Amino acid sequence: MTETTPNIAFTPERMAKVQEIIARYPAGKQKSALLPILHVAQAQWGWLSDKVMDYVAGILEIAPVEVYEVATFYTMYHLQPVGKHVIEYCRTGPCCTMGAEPVYEYIQEKLGIKTGQTTPDGNFTLKEVECLAACGWGPVFQIREQYYMNLTNDKVDEIIADLSK
Amino acid sequence: MATKILTEHINVPGIETLAVYRKMGGYEAVEKAIKKMTPDEIVEEVKKAGVRGRGGAGFPMGMKWSFLAKPEGVPRYLVCNADESEPGTFKDHYLMKNLPHLLIEGMIVSSFALGANTSFIYVRGELLYVIDILEKAIAEAKAAGFLGKNILGSGYDLELVVQPGGGAYICGEETALLESLEGKRGNPRNKPPFPAVKGLYQCPTVVNNVESIATVSWIVNHGGDAYAAIGVGRSTGTKLISASGHINRPGVYEIELGVSVEDFIYADEWCGGIRPGHYLKAVVAGGSSVPILPAERILTTIAGEKRLMTYESLSDGGFVSGTMLGSGGFIAMDETVCIVRNTWNYARFYHHESCGQCSPCREGTGWMEKVLHRIEHGHGSMHDIDLLVDVAKKIEGNTICPLGDAAAWPVASAIRHFRDEFEWHITHPFEATQPGAVYRGELELV
């Protein structure tokens, strides 16, 4: 939740991953690595601060603005600090058809925050997203790579209790 | 027993591993294609099969392949569109997580047919766990000699790269996807030039959907004619349908094209009918972009014929009384669904996902969302209904890419078929019940 430290650098393991990603593309086309590298950066810092984006621009030898315009276009990149667990819930038609709206109201009530906010203990951030391609198992939300499907209030209780441990 | 081209072995334990996948006949198509066929012969079989783009547009795949420019000394690319984001559609997600090798095998054969030495699978970024599954499978295939340098001793080289997206519906549009793959915002390009001439890195490129590429192995193994023998007319082969909404058995079903819509909804083999005590009111048959139809119109055409799950039958009647097969995102809704609220939800989606390049779409989607929001929340006027129709009309056909059309059609069709319900909302702003026809074996009004 605090500002990132001034000395920004990928961990050695992540730097190796970044280099491996850049090597996937033809020579001179290293900008193709931008989206994947921003995911790696977000995994390390939790969100993308200006400093992190400048750092990525340096690695790819592109202008910082080329990173900003991409980071602001795609919804998966967090441009503000987020909590430990970001709950990204699907608000699109098929999930709502399956009764998603009351479940999401329940989550907000339970955590005492509105969509877009983070709990005071820094544990949870709530984010609305569009269709997650799991419509047959709605309502759905995602926390990092994990999908949680066929959500009910009881299931939400369980998941949040589990993650609060 | 219906033919299953893609999902026959989906329930075999361990099918995500190379060993089990090979035991079930996997990678035979790679051996056959690379050792016994020329690239042109493969293209010819795909053409004969008549398989149509499964991402939604339904454009014949073989024809798309044959447009690929082949200038000397310029690399060519195959890009698999796995940016599945069309609301109601989750078949590619299902296919990739369960059968990663099916897609990889299809990618190898297709890349060989097109002469690509680096191919990409662009997966929506949210499916991080699927990306892991695919990368693991690619490593297995590489270790077995199906990928990398000199595949099966043929001299053919292929690298396969899995590229994550960043969460943008628009990147499912092929030129936006290419922009994104180049590390840019997903703004669709003007066409021409088409990707077949200037695509990724301005080189000739084919972009195909996951399901389309996954069919290629079967076509190579069994021949295009055998594929074309399945289905009805120009709707050849099988199609994965993502079934969601108020049905008893939601999930992904591989159907032979030509099953009747009624059977698909009510037969136990597929959706198993509408949930107990409720009745079908409306269906969105091909992902949220296609026109919504009321129960009676999705089950029968205006001429009274049973509607079939084919490209032609679903679009019978044009947009006046028909819809589209699209991506096969089949959303069934019962009488509890409020069409106004549902339409507002989708309008909000398209407004959120518009890339902002073209004014009619950027502004129009916002206006539609706003007007629908006020009708839904009790502040609408009768004039708003015509205003919506007018805005939808002005978006349609006036944008670089089809997102504008995709945003306009659900609104226009909802008003076309459920105008009463919009009027009801305006005259009875705070009442919950909505009028509408439902299907109970025969049509009844409730």
Side-chain angles (χ1 to χ4, degrees):
Chain A
M1 288 288 294
T2 49
E3 258 303 325
T4 25
T5 53
N7 300 323
I8 288 170
F10 280 120
T11 61
E13 301 79 47
R14 288 212 167 90
M15 195 49 162
K17 176 80 185 162
V18 163
Q19 295 304 337
E20 184 261 305
I21 291 170
I22 293 171
R24 293 171 182 174
Y25 311 97
K29 305 297 180 194
Q30 79 280 5
K31 192 178 169 183
S32 281
L34 181 53
L35 273 79
I37 290 178
L38 289 178
H39 285 303
V40 177
Q42 189 156 289
Q44 177 158 336
W45 288 286
W47 65 291
L48 303 177
S49 64
D50 291 356
K51 284 174 188 158
V52 167
M53 289 192 272
D54 293 350
Y55 172 65
V56 170
I59 292 174
L60 289 175
E61 297 172 340
I62 57 178
V65 67
E66 293 178 84
V67 182
Y68 306 158
E69 64 174 11
V70 162
T72 53
F73 184 85
Y74 296 94
T75 54
M76 285 182 74
Y77 302 120
H78 308 311
L79 302 175
Q80 300 289 331
V82 291
K84 191 169 153 203
H85 306 290
V86 183
I87 301 176
E88 297 178 293
Y89 65 82
C90 169
R91 67 173 190 182
T92 319
C95 276
C96 291
T97 297
M98 297 315 291
E101 286 153 303
V103 177
Y104 300 154
E105 272 165 35
Y106 177 75
I107 300 174
Q108 298 184 45
E109 219 172 89
K110 184 175 171 72
L111 293 176
I113 53 171
K114 295 269 173 221
T115 297
Q117 298 178 335
T118 300
T119 51
D121 62 3
N123 241 347
F124 294 99
T125 297
L126 270 183
K127 196 173 164 183
E128 274 183 321
V129 296
E130 300 292 357
C131 190
L132 288 171
C135 316
W137 309 290
V140 175
F141 67 54
Q142 179 175 28
I143 302 176
R144 282 190 198 272
E145 70 277 10
Q146 177 80 38
Y147 272 62
Y148 297 87
M149 305 192 266
N150 299 119
L151 294 169
T152 58
N153 290 0
D154 290 347
K155 242 180 171 171
V156 166
D157 284 343
E158 263 173 53
I159 296 163
I160 289 179
D162 205 35
L163 291 173
S164 301
K165 272 179 204 159
Chain B
M1 187 61 195
T3 314
K4 299 254 195 290
I5 283 174
L6 303 169
T7 58
E8 190 184 349
H9 304 300
I10 203 156
N11 293 321
V12 175
I15 193 70
E16 71 284 359
T17 63
L18 184 88
V20 176
Y21 183 72
R22 287 201 72 183
K23 216 175 275 173
M24 295 294 134
Y27 287 95
E28 276 170 18
V30 173
E31 309 227 7
K32 183 173 177 188
I34 291 186
K35 289 182 178 162
K36 297 185 187 147
M37 294 173 83
T38 65
D40 287 347
E41 281 170 352
I42 301 170
V43 174
E44 208 42 51
E45 291 305 319
V46 171
K47 266 191 188 165
K48 264 197 255 172
V51 55
R52 291 163 70 171
R54 301 300 194 213
F59 190 80
M61 189 178 180
M63 206 184 287
K64 196 172 189 180
W65 281 16
S66 65
F67 291 155
L68 185 69
K70 295 175 179 169
E72 267 313 302
V74 178
R76 303 192 279 273
Y77 295 104
L78 171 65
V79 179
C80 173
N81 184 346
D83 189 53
E84 184 177 54
S85 318
E86 172 81 1
T89 315
F90 47 104
K91 66 186 178 71
D92 297 338
H93 176 182
Y94 172 80
L95 201 67
M96 290 188 290
K97 80 166 174 170
N98 290 302
L99 292 165
H101 284 288
L102 183 72
L103 175 60
I104 293 163
E105 184 180 12
M107 284 298 286
I108 299 168
V109 174
S110 305
S111 300
F112 176 72
L114 298 168
N117 298 110
T118 307
S119 296
F120 296 88
I121 304 175
Y122 182 103
V123 184
R124 58 177 304 175
E126 292 87 343
L127 294 177
L128 203 62
Y129 82 100
V130 174
I131 292 173
D132 287 344
I133 292 171
L134 287 171
E135 285 185 336
K136 215 167 141 195
I138 286 171
E140 277 188 304
K142 207 166 180 175
F146 292 116
L147 273 172
K149 294 253 175 256
N150 194 19
I151 296 171
L152 304 177
S154 63
Y156 173 64
D157 305 336
L158 176 65
E159 291 299 330
L160 205 48
V161 176
V162 182
Q163 177 86 356
Y169 169 73
I170 189 63
C171 292
E173 195 279 336
E174 61 179 12
T175 60
L177 187 152
L178 295 175
E179 286 286 299
S180 181
L181 186 45
E182 292 181 3
K184 302 178 203 154
R185 296 164 74 94
N187 286 350
R189 299 174 182 170
N190 262 308
K191 296 192 250 189
F194 287 89
V197 179
K198 283 186 178 200
L200 184 65
Y201 311 132
Q202 296 295 303
C203 296
T205 303
V206 166
V207 183
N208 284 140
N209 171 258
V210 171
E211 185 187 348
S212 310
I213 289 175
T215 60
V216 174
S217 304
W218 194 93
I219 293 169
V220 162
N221 285 332
H222 299 84
D225 289 334
Y227 187 89
I230 305 163
V232 178
R234 288 180 54 235
S235 293
T236 61
T238 66
K239 174 91 189 80
L240 295 177
I241 305 292
S242 319
S244 68
H246 296 133
I247 47 175
N248 286 320
R249 286 163 37 85
V252 177
Y253 298 102
E254 182 174 6
I255 60 162
E256 288 185 26
L257 287 167
V259 170
S260 80
V261 174
E262 189 176 355
D263 283 348
F264 183 70
I265 298 174
Y266 292 98
D268 289 337
E269 195 180 345
W270 299 296
C271 301
I274 303 303
R275 62 180 175 163
H278 294 275
Y279 306 96
L280 183 67
K281 175 177 177 178
V283 168
V284 173
S288 67
S289 304
V290 309
I292 186 171
L293 289 184
E296 79 269 25
R297 219 20 84 239
I298 188 70
L299 295 169
T300 54
T301 65
I302 205 105
E305 286 167 11
K306 273 196 169 195
R307 225 186 258 281
L308 309 178
M309 299 288 281
T310 63
Y311 291 94
E312 292 75 23
S313 179
L314 283 170
S315 60
D316 185 288
F319 277 6
V320 177
S321 61
T323 180
M324 287 162 79
L325 178 60
S327 64
F330 195 95
I331 314 164
M333 289 168 267
D334 70 19
E335 79 288 350
T336 62
V337 165
C338 167
I339 298 295
V340 177
R341 190 169 183 82
N342 189 63
T343 310
W344 163 55
N345 185 301
Y346 288 116
R348 181 179 65 179
F349 171 82
Y350 290 105
H351 180 210
H352 183 261
E353 299 299 335
S354 172
C355 81
Q357 235 189 151
C358 312
S359 316
C361 174
R362 180 186 63 240
E363 304 301 321
T365 51
W367 276 106
M368 290 197 300
E369 184 199 341
K370 218 180 269 183
V371 173
L372 282 160
H373 182 273
R374 73 176 175 236
I375 297 175
E376 166 63 12
H377 292 87
H379 307 291
S381 70
M382 282 300 179
H383 164 75
D384 283 339
I385 300 177
D386 292 328
L387 179 63
L388 282 171
V389 173
D390 187 50
V391 174
K393 220 180 265 172
K394 283 174 178 152
I395 299 173
E396 199 182 336
N398 290 322
T399 54
I400 290 175
C401 87
L403 191 142
D405 301 343
W409 295 340
V411 175
S413 59
I415 294 173
R416 189 179 308 124
H417 298 294
F418 298 93
R419 199 180 180 103
D420 290 357
E421 210 169 310
F422 284 84
E423 289 172 355
W424 174 273
H425 248 76
I426 291 162
T427 51
H428 302 73
F430 300 106
E431 285 179 37
T433 47
Q434 299 90 35
V438 298
Y439 182 74
R440 292 182 178 172
E442 58 188 281
L443 287 167
E444 279 178 50
L445 282 170
V446 292

